Amino acid sequence: MYMMCSSCSRCFIGNDHGIWPLDDLTDKDMDAKGKATNTWSPVGQGLYLDGTDDTYVKLKKHDKKCLEHPSDCDITIGFFLKFHPPSGLQIYFGNMDDDGDRYEGINIYHDGQFRVEVYGKDKYCARVISPPQKVWFYLGLVWEKNGNLAVYVDKRYSQSSWDHNQCGKSPSGLKKHGDYYLGRYTYPVAFYKDLNIWSSKQSKTVLDQLWDAAFGKCVASVNRAREQVPAGRV
């Protein structure tokens, strides 16, 4: 089990970088609805959505130009997530509805498989991954407007296939929606912490630093504590 460590995400803020720590439900950069509450994560207080109807978070002050039109921008997203095995469609992040249609934008959801999808007006890329369930992990994606999509899970970084990937020319008739949410429409049971969104391509090193700032320091602290235990007391 990881020890609780303070978040260092604010250290990485830049001009093209927005962060939602999700540790304060009154934060002016988001709008928490329903029974959204704060809970503890390995990196401090985070967000808990309990799965009840109309419990979700609406993001504010994000870069709508890029998130609504990924073909115009390189984009990097990263956050800590814990989810429970879902039944039916569960949307964890994005601008899509539960109507089954494709939306121009970025969406992370589970419909029997865990999917990370980016649809631009010209190109798209969709990946199926197998993240751990019922435990905290770090999820990231790096989208390039030329159609490349890399996915990051706890220091594993893939620029090609995970379980499945499909990329190519975007279909016609994509719906548009500039608002982004955590958990709207399907109301998952999920925990979140430190949502970072860059309107630029970030390297794996940046995501590694965010992971290390939480889990790496915690693991090191546990190891140091074990080293200080007298022989025969472990």
Side-chain angles (χ1 to χ4, degrees), residues 2-64:
Y2 291 118
M3 297 172 61
M4 298 301 179
C5 298
S6 61
S7 171
C8 296
S9 295
R10 289 182 177 86
C11 299
F12 303 102
I13 296 175
N15 292 333
D16 66 343
H17 181 192
I19 177 171
W20 292 258
L22 305 174
D23 56 1
D24 180 1
L25 298 182
T26 65
D27 189 334
K28 65 181 183 301
D29 293 341
M30 68 183 211
D31 190 3
K33 301 289 189 179
K35 296 182 179 179
T37 59
N38 283 129
T39 189
W40 284 99
S41 79
V43 286
Q45 282 217 80
L47 170 70
Y48 172 49
L49 304 180
D50 68 359
T52 57
D53 287 352
D54 298 319
T55 295
Y56 64 92
V57 165
K58 178 181 179 180
L59 300 181
K60 297 180 179 179
K61 299 186 178 180
H62 57 283
D63 187 342
K64 286 192 175 184

Side-chain angles (χ1 to χ4, degrees), residues 43-105:
V43 286
Q45 282 217 80
L47 170 70
Y48 172 49
L49 304 180
D50 68 359
T52 57
D53 287 352
D54 298 319
T55 295
Y56 64 92
V57 165
K58 178 181 179 180
L59 300 181
K60 297 180 179 179
K61 299 186 178 180
H62 57 283
D63 187 342
K64 286 192 175 184
K65 173 183 175 294
C66 286
L67 289 183
E68 188 176 358
H69 303 293
S71 288
D72 295 338
C73 305
D74 294 340
I75 301 169
T76 304
I77 297 175
F79 57 97
F80 294 94
L81 176 67
K82 180 170 76 169
F83 72 99
H84 287 245
S87 57
L89 174 65
Q90 298 291 299
I91 305 170
Y92 298 107
F93 172 92
N95 66 340
M96 66 185 284
D97 202 334
D98 58 352
D99 54 12
D101 293 330
R102 297 293 184 190
Y103 283 73
E104 186 177 346

Side-chain angles (χ1 to χ4, degrees), residues 58-199:
K58 178 181 179 180
L59 300 181
K60 297 180 179 179
K61 299 186 178 180
H62 57 283
D63 187 342
K64 286 192 175 184
K65 173 183 175 294
C66 286
L67 289 183
E68 188 176 358
H69 303 293
S71 288
D72 295 338
C73 305
D74 294 340
I75 301 169
T76 304
I77 297 175
F79 57 97
F80 294 94
L81 176 67
K82 180 170 76 169
F83 72 99
H84 287 245
S87 57
L89 174 65
Q90 298 291 299
I91 305 170
Y92 298 107
F93 172 92
N95 66 340
M96 66 185 284
D97 202 334
D98 58 352
D99 54 12
D101 293 330
R102 297 293 184 190
Y103 283 73
E104 186 177 346
I106 299 173
N107 287 281
I108 298 170
Y109 64 98
H110 197 297
D111 64 351
Q113 295 179 301
F114 196 101
R115 301 181 184 274
V116 178
E117 297 183 347
V118 183
Y119 278 81
K121 62 183 179 181
D122 301 317
K123 297 182 179 180
Y124 82 98
C125 202
R127 302 205 184 283
V128 174
I129 63 174
S130 299
Q133 299 182 5
K134 296 184 178 181
V135 297
W136 287 96
F137 65 96
Y138 196 82
L139 174 64
L141 67 88
V142 181
W143 162 260
E144 298 176 74
K145 58 187 177 182
N146 63 8
N148 292 329
L149 176 64
V151 178
Y152 178 102
V153 177
D154 282 346
K155 288 201 160 185
R156 182 186 174 198
Y157 184 80
S158 175
Q159 294 176 292
S160 56
S161 176
W162 285 64
D163 296 342
H164 171 77
N165 81 94
Q166 185 176 5
C167 306
K169 180 178 174 56
S170 291
S172 60
L174 293 174
K175 288 190 173 181
K176 300 181 187 297
H177 190 189
D179 292 331
Y180 270 75
Y181 303 93
L182 306 178
R184 192 173 184 186
Y185 301 116
T186 60
Y187 314 119
V189 176
F191 304 76
Y192 303 79
K193 177 61 179 168
D194 287 349
L195 171 62
N196 291 267
I197 302 177
W198 292 263
S199 300

Side-chain angles (χ1 to χ4, degrees), residues 212-230:
D212 288 337
F215 296 126
K217 286 172 60 178
C218 296
V219 171
S221 297
V222 171
N223 290 338
R224 284 195 298 271
R226 287 174 175 170
E227 291 172 358
Q228 294 171 5
V229 176

